Amino acid sequence: MTDETSGVDEFEALRRYLGSVAYRLLGSVSDAEDILQEAWLRWRATDRSRVEEPRAFLTTVVTRLCYDQLGSARHRREAYYGEWLPEPVVSEDASPAQLAELGEEVSMALLTVLEQLTPAERTAFVLHDVFAIGFDEIAGSLDRTPDATRQLASRARRRMKNGGRRTTVDRTAHREVVSAFASAATRGDIQGLVALLDPEVVWHSDGGGIVSAGVRPISGVDKVARLVVGLYAKFIAPEAGVGWAPVLINGVPGMAWHDAEGTVFGVVVFELTDGRITEAHVVVNPEKLTHVTRITVTS
């Protein structure tokens, strides 16, 4: 086995993990892929005989690349048209083994809350609280002391409040709510939607100024229910081959809008509390869906 081949095998064995780190730090699939490409180039140029722990080494490389990018990304998002939402990871059904992996994915809601943090706070929180990396190792990536890094993570938790908690999703119950939501929206059933929505539900949407979407979140059960019925009537037309289908979005049951060929042009995923929808995150910006593969269209 050549040294080059060995380097490829080691990197590929860690690709999913490194991609998860980058995605959680940046909230962007495309940016995470760019980070992985740059990390590979640096790994290939490294004297790997001097690397004792490839995972720790590559984690540091990816972290530093993401940290450098977070500052400029924050400025771009502040100038973004309308509400900025993370890029969704969309898949169709999955096996039990795949579902176990998907359960480790980060929700759209948590990624959105992470935007409240400074780059240093976000990095410390994600690496320690999500990936259980020690503060000594994180400190080296951030060029700070372990105590300072510990304080960053603690401050991040306080700022995020309940948004920082990771909860286990009951996918069966969640899927039932999504199915009921789709059925009520299809029928134009305002009262059916109201029964599924929390009184203080918030509807978030991201069109990026490219596709029509709300510039600010919509709050309140009546406003959201009427918005959903109006959106369905305007944009979903089965007779024209446009429909929606159940998918997994960051491991959570949601819906995808698609054309007759299965090309996805919008997704929605919900946060639930006590069986009711408290938040909806809708992404229709086509630039955030380019990585989404076509879904299966059933007749």
Side-chain angles (χ1 to χ4, degrees):
M1 181 180 293
T2 66
D3 186 56
E4 176 71 15
T5 302
S6 174
V8 171
D9 290 344
E10 287 177 314
F11 189 87
E12 288 302 317
L14 293 168
R15 175 177 285 276
R16 177 180 174 83
Y17 158 73
L18 295 171
S20 295
V21 172
Y23 177 59
R24 285 163 172 77
L25 288 176
L26 299 175
S28 166
V29 175
S30 54
D31 287 348
E33 290 172 348
D34 291 343
I35 291 293
L36 287 186
Q37 180 61 26
E38 179 62 27
W40 159 245
L41 294 176
R42 296 193 181 195
W43 175 245
R44 188 175 63 179
T46 296
D47 180 359
R48 293 185 293 280
S49 66
R50 303 181 64 179
V51 178
E52 295 183 4
E53 296 289 342
R55 181 185 175 100
F57 177 88
L58 284 166
T59 298
T60 298
V61 170
V62 167
T63 298
R64 287 178 172 168
L65 289 169
C66 290
Y67 183 66
D68 289 343
Q69 187 165 321
L70 275 171
S72 59
R74 186 166 186 163
H75 289 303
R76 293 197 308 271
R77 290 166 191 178
E78 288 174 351
Y80 192 78
Y81 182 84
E83 190 174 8
W84 185 92
L85 295 180
E87 290 183 11
V89 177
V90 182
S91 60
E92 294 190 72
D93 214 346
S95 68
Q98 289 172 321
L99 283 174
E101 290 184 342
L102 286 168
E104 299 173 358
E105 296 292 348
V106 63
S107 72
M108 292 282 285
L110 178 55
L111 282 172
T112 302
V113 174
L114 285 171
E115 290 296 309
Q116 300 174 9
L117 307 180
T118 67
E121 289 170 345
R122 181 169 185 162
T123 301
F125 173 83
V126 168
L127 292 183
H128 183 266
D129 285 45
V130 178
F131 293 99
I133 296 174
F135 288 118
D136 288 347
E137 186 176 339
I138 300 171
S141 299
L142 295 178
D143 293 326
R144 305 193 185 209
T145 66
D147 283 344
T149 306
R150 183 178 292 105
Q151 291 172 11
L152 284 170
S154 178
R155 189 159 64 239
R157 290 185 211 105
R158 290 196 302 270
R159 292 186 63 186
M160 293 178 67
K161 298 181 181 178
N162 292 337
R165 298 178 184 172
R166 292 195 300 165
T167 58
T168 301
V169 176
D170 182 341
R171 286 192 179 82
T172 299
H174 203 123
R175 200 183 300 274
E176 288 174 355
V177 172
V178 172
S179 178
F181 176 92
S183 178
T186 302
R187 300 192 310 271
D189 181 0
I190 294 286
Q191 292 307 311
L193 288 169
V194 167
L196 297 169
L197 301 173
D198 184 86
E200 298 181 0
V201 62
V202 181
W203 183 273
H204 305 271
S205 54
D206 179 349
I210 301 172
V211 174
S212 177
V215 176
R216 289 178 293 277
I218 305 297
S219 302
V221 62
D222 187 63
K223 288 182 180 179
V224 170
R226 294 184 183 282
L227 172 69
V228 169
V229 169
L231 290 175
Y232 182 87
K234 184 175 181 180
F235 294 109
I236 308 297
E239 65 276 7
V242 178
W244 52 2
V247 293
L248 292 173
I249 302 172
N250 290 45
V252 176
M255 300 292 293
W257 289 269
H258 61 83
D259 63 16
E261 286 72 43
T263 301
V264 174
F265 57 89
V267 299
V268 58
V269 63
F270 306 111
E271 292 293 313
L272 303 183
T273 299
D274 297 329
R276 289 199 169 194
I277 297 169
T278 54
E279 286 187 273
H281 291 85
V282 181
V283 178
V284 289
N285 182 346
E287 294 181 349
K288 294 188 176 183
L289 299 171
T290 56
H291 62 281
V292 179
T293 57
R294 291 183 177 182
I295 65 173
T296 303
V297 178
T298 57
S299 56

